[in-house]
Amino acid sequence: INNGEIHIVEPDLDVLVKSAVNSGNLKASLTPVEADVFVIAVPTPFTDNRQPDLSYVEAATRVISPLIKPGNLIILESTSPVGTTQHIASLLSDAGHDVENDIYIAHCPERVLPGRILIELVQNDRIIGGINPASTQKAIDFYLEFVSGEVLGTNAATAELSKLTENSFRDVNIAFANELSM
């Protein structure tokens, strides 16, 4: 990425990455660095006993924790069970961060399809829920910098449930279409 190259097939993404790297606006790293906004977008697979595996979310939270400063925004974009954003807040609180007054934590589920990432990243509507109203507003302000779709504010649990509901709706439609085809 630091050479302006990408490893996935996505129309026009290579041009944007190269431009962002050449302008100094994008620098990739294998370890987190200080930032104003941290976006956690990691896998949330199921364990063998069909329970959500939050170990990637927890690991990402722990690795950014030493870098978090007052005023920072932490956004979870991973599809995750209701309560995961609050779990992140608990982990950061246990690490000594004042999650009610010093930092902002929110959930904004990603909604993109391969081959349409650039369009959907900007044009899709977003639902954003924070652990408190200040976190919701801080995250809304961040997404409004680049999202032209509607941005809806709510609480973290509702934002998490909206993504799970959307995925369930999609899965039911796919199963129904498969049944019809047979």
Side-chain angles (χ1 to χ4, degrees):
I1 290 188
N2 287 331
N3 291 330
E5 300 169 6
I6 61 172
H7 65 283
I8 59 173
V9 176
E10 184 65 36
D12 299 323
L13 182 60
D14 57 341
V15 174
L16 289 175
V17 168
K18 188 172 224 50
S19 174
V21 168
N22 289 339
S23 69
N25 290 324
L26 176 64
K27 182 175 189 257
S29 172
L30 295 176
T31 57
V33 296
E34 285 189 10
D36 296 329
V37 179
F38 295 90
V39 177
I40 298 173
V42 296
T44 50
F46 287 103
T47 63
D48 290 340
N49 62 353
R50 314 266 315 138
Q51 296 298 310
D53 178 358
L54 299 180
S55 63
Y56 295 101
V57 172
E58 292 166 346
T61 302
R62 286 188 183 96
V63 77
I64 65 170
S65 180
L67 302 169
I68 295 173
K69 307 282 187 254
N72 283 169
L73 171 62
I74 297 89
I75 300 168
L76 175 65
E77 283 202 2
S78 301
T79 302
S80 49
V82 173
T84 305
T85 307
Q86 189 58 53
H87 181 56
I88 288 172
S90 296
L91 291 173
L92 292 174
S93 179
D94 291 348
H97 296 285
D98 184 350
V99 300
E100 289 297 322
N101 301 303
D102 282 352
I103 61 175
Y104 305 91
I105 305 168
H107 181 70
C108 180
E110 62 85 16
R111 287 193 167 93
V112 295
L113 293 172
R116 294 185 45 89
I117 288 176
L118 297 177
I119 294 167
E120 293 188 5
L121 184 66
V122 173
Q123 294 177 359
N124 273 0
D125 295 342
R126 295 295 188 116
I127 185 164
I128 299 171
I131 62 166
N132 54 37
S135 292
T136 300
Q137 190 58 55
K138 183 82 166 181
I140 287 172
D141 293 344
F142 170 70
Y143 281 95
L144 285 175
E145 291 181 29
F146 59 90
V147 170
S148 63
E150 188 173 1
V151 177
L152 307 166
T154 187
N155 58 55
T158 301
E160 291 164 336
L161 185 59
S162 74
K163 178 62 174 184
L164 297 175
T165 303
E166 184 179 285
N167 284 3
S168 298
F169 181 79
R170 183 200 64 221
D171 291 347
V172 167
N173 282 331
I174 292 169
F176 181 64
N178 287 338
E179 285 298 315
L180 289 176
S181 72
M182 292 191 293

